[in-house]
Amino acid sequence: MHILMLVGLGVAMLAVMHFGPRAAGLAFNGAWYFIWLWLVISIANGIYGHLRVGIPLINEIAAFLPIFGIPAALAWWLMYRG
């Protein structure tokens, strides 16, 4: 459930960062910045889960893949769609 919540948060954050500047009339590609920001947030989530909650590192690595990968792949697609 935690993975789904974080993926949903990532997609919502991507929508705000990608479509927000466009709606305001700015020529700004927020998806590129989103990927780097989401990478930092995803790594911090894994570190917190491992060090503070005690989740095994292998489980955190496995959870990192969809948590970072799904929103980042969507951001990549939004950046390069024709």
Side-chain angles (χ1 to χ4, degrees):
M1 188 66 179
H2 180 72
I3 293 172
L4 290 176
M5 289 179 1
L6 285 174
V7 168
L9 175 68
V11 171
M13 200 167 116
L14 171 62
V16 169
M17 289 183 74
H18 180 71
F19 297 112
R22 291 175 187 255
L26 302 172
F28 176 79
N29 191 351
W32 187 84
Y33 294 102
F34 167 79
I35 291 175
W36 293 105
L37 178 62
W38 193 244
L39 177 64
V40 170
I41 291 170
S42 298
I43 290 172
N45 174 65
I47 291 170
Y48 181 82
H50 179 66
L51 296 179
R52 297 283 294 179
V53 182
I55 298 171
L57 185 59
I58 192 72
N59 290 13
E60 285 296 334
I61 292 170
F64 172 81
L65 295 174
I67 288 171
F68 174 72
I70 294 171
L74 184 57
W76 189 267
W77 179 78
L78 285 172
M79 282 191 314
Y80 293 107
R81 68 186 168 131

